[in-house]
Amino acid sequence: MFSYKPKLKHVIEAKQFSDRKLLEEMFDRAEYMERKDKKNKLPQSLKGKRVASFFYEESTRTRFSFETAVLALGGKVVSTDKASQFSSVAKGETLEDTIRILSSYFHAIVMRHNIKGSAKIASTYSEVPIINAGDGEGEHPTQALLDVYTIKKEIGRIDDFSIAMVGDLKYGRTIHSLTYLLESHKNVKIYFVSPKTLSIPEEHIQSMIASKTQFEETENMEEALDKVDVLYMTRVQKERFPNQEEYDKVKDFYILDKDMLRKMKPEAIIMHPLPRIKEIDPKIDTDPRAAYFRQAKNGLYIRMALLDMILG
Ligand code: CP
């Protein structure tokens, strides 16, 4: 049913999806997967395909949604969630050799790693597609896809909107990928809200200037609340901090509560890549604008769409 054949092998960075035709194809397929799933009639387009789910870092959403997507489309998965302990990485084997071996067993490798740039390195040693499921403080491109898909479903457009990205913009890889992806969208304004020590990295500032993306930086979340169509909260990434003391200084810098919600536009939405710690009060979960659990579910269909596109 889908005739467009994109030139897509490895999925390493969000800018690979700057092509609107590719993005729309992805979203059409995700919608198709959701419809078929509801009828229990998902295509078995991954039949005969084996996928390695190779995670060096913890994950709930990314790992389980990728693995579920493979299984639901008729493929098979071999998985480790502690690659540094439960593979020969623990004996000192390099990433390069590990990937060479896995790529001779599998048709694709979904990999999460703790070091920025590792997915790119892996792709140079792999015969089969590498899908970056998060590389340290680098990127998380499939999260950006599901984020933009969520924005489309929730507010009905992916151009002409404003978004506040709040929290850990320095280490937050979901922020990095979403920012890169939104640069290719028309008339998007980004408010970066963070403590000064966790501000958006300079490489993003330069990239946004080059792409003429509108943005503002502030420490004050309330300044942006009434202006935006999307409020994108993030967790402070404790695991990337040099020590506990530095983390403690910023860990509770932003906490969205019901009072603050009153300042938001009635039709705005609240997103979060999850997991959350304290940055969103659970009392907000029942507000119709709280889209973060719907966002996480969209990840399943986006990952089905992506696997179908690459391997189907
Ligand atoms: N959003 C996200 O990447 O969640 P996990 O770490 O649980 O995969």
Side-chain angles (χ1 to χ4, degrees):
M1 111 157 237
F2 294 98
S3 54
Y4 175 55
K5 292 270 175 228
K7 286 197 179 83
L8 192 61
K9 185 179 177 186
H10 305 295
V11 175
I12 307 300
E13 56 190 23
K15 279 193 178 178
Q16 289 176 258
F17 299 92
S18 300
D19 172 22
R20 188 54 69 95
K21 196 171 174 214
L22 175 58
L23 199 63
E24 282 172 0
E25 170 75 13
M26 183 77 66
F27 293 171
D28 286 348
R29 282 188 200 222
E31 276 168 15
Y32 171 79
M33 294 299 176
E34 187 165 1
R35 280 199 307 277
K36 289 290 182 185
D37 193 28
K38 281 193 183 120
K39 293 181 190 155
N40 220 3
K41 285 188 175 165
L42 280 167
Q44 296 301 287
S45 54
L46 264 59
K47 197 166 167 30
K49 303 288 176 174
R50 300 181 298 273
V51 175
S53 171
F54 197 58
F55 278 59
Y56 287 74
E57 281 189 340
E58 304 78 2
S59 169
T60 299
R61 281 144 289 274
T62 313
R63 187 163 80 89
F64 284 100
S65 61
F66 261 120
E67 293 183 10
T68 304
V70 175
L71 296 173
L73 298 181
K76 290 195 163 54
V77 180
V78 177
S79 167
T80 177
D81 62 345
K82 288 193 179 73
S84 51
Q85 290 173 40
F86 296 153
S87 71
S88 284
V89 171
K91 300 176 203 161
E93 188 165 44
T94 61
L95 178 65
E96 290 86 334
D97 284 357
T98 305
I99 292 299
R100 279 190 182 106
I101 300 304
L102 292 183
S103 83
S104 68
Y105 299 161
F106 294 96
H107 298 101
I109 301 166
V110 179
M111 187 181 85
R112 171 169 287 186
H113 202 282
N114 51 315
I115 298 174
K116 180 179 177 179
S118 50
K120 179 88 184 155
I121 292 169
S123 71
T124 63
Y125 291 92
S126 180
E127 300 290 328
V128 302
I130 295 285
I131 301 179
N132 181 5
D135 60 332
E137 64 199 74
E139 284 216 39
H140 194 348
T142 65
Q143 177 74 42
L145 289 174
L146 76 91
D147 289 343
V148 176
Y149 182 57
T150 300
I151 292 168
K152 178 177 188 269
K153 284 177 79 174
E154 296 281 337
I155 70 169
R157 61 192 188 280
I158 55 173
D159 297 302
D160 303 300
F161 71 92
S162 56
I163 178 169
M165 300 188 185
V166 181
D168 185 349
L169 312 183
K170 179 181 179 185
Y171 297 120
R173 58 192 172 203
T174 70
I175 292 288
H176 301 162
S177 284
L178 184 56
T179 301
Y180 278 141
L181 187 52
L182 290 180
E183 280 183 26
S184 58
H185 294 236
K186 291 189 201 84
N187 198 25
V188 170
K189 171 138 190 192
I190 308 177
Y191 294 86
F192 292 111
V193 182
S194 72
K196 285 210 166 45
T197 51
L198 296 181
S199 59
I200 190 83
E202 183 59 26
E203 65 208 71
H204 287 273
I205 302 280
Q206 293 309 323
S207 184
M208 283 183 295
I209 290 169
S211 64
K212 297 189 169 59
T213 304
Q214 305 170 68
F215 69 96
E216 270 180 43
E217 291 184 275
T218 176
E219 273 202 344
N220 185 351
M221 177 159 75
E222 305 217 6
E223 263 179 29
L225 276 184
D226 60 344
K227 298 190 181 81
V228 296
D229 305 298
V230 178
L231 179 64
Y232 192 101
M233 301 294 294
T234 62
R235 172 180 72 93
V236 176
Q237 308 276 300
K238 183 179 181 186
E239 62 275 29
R240 315 261 177 247
F241 277 66
N243 55 55
Q244 182 76 34
E245 197 188 342
E246 291 303 309
Y247 170 69
D248 286 342
K249 282 184 199 161
V250 287
K251 66 177 185 193
D252 297 328
F253 214 88
Y254 303 108
I255 297 177
L256 185 69
D257 60 24
K258 278 205 152 186
D259 283 344
M260 288 175 167
L261 224 56
R262 280 189 258 281
K263 298 194 178 88
M264 289 180 65
K265 293 181 187 175
E267 70 281 8
I269 57 163
I270 304 158
M271 296 175 65
H272 193 309
L274 304 177
R276 71 170 152 190
I277 310 299
K278 285 194 192 158
E279 58 279 359
I280 297 181
D281 184 339
K283 290 196 188 96
I284 287 174
D285 295 353
T286 50
D287 190 291
R289 290 171 290 184
Y292 30 92
F293 294 120
R294 300 192 289 276
Q295 177 186 356
K297 178 139 196 209
N298 291 335
L300 175 63
Y301 299 114
I302 280 291
R303 287 169 179 135
M304 281 183 188
L306 182 69
L307 289 164
D308 182 58
M309 206 181 252
I310 294 174
L311 291 178

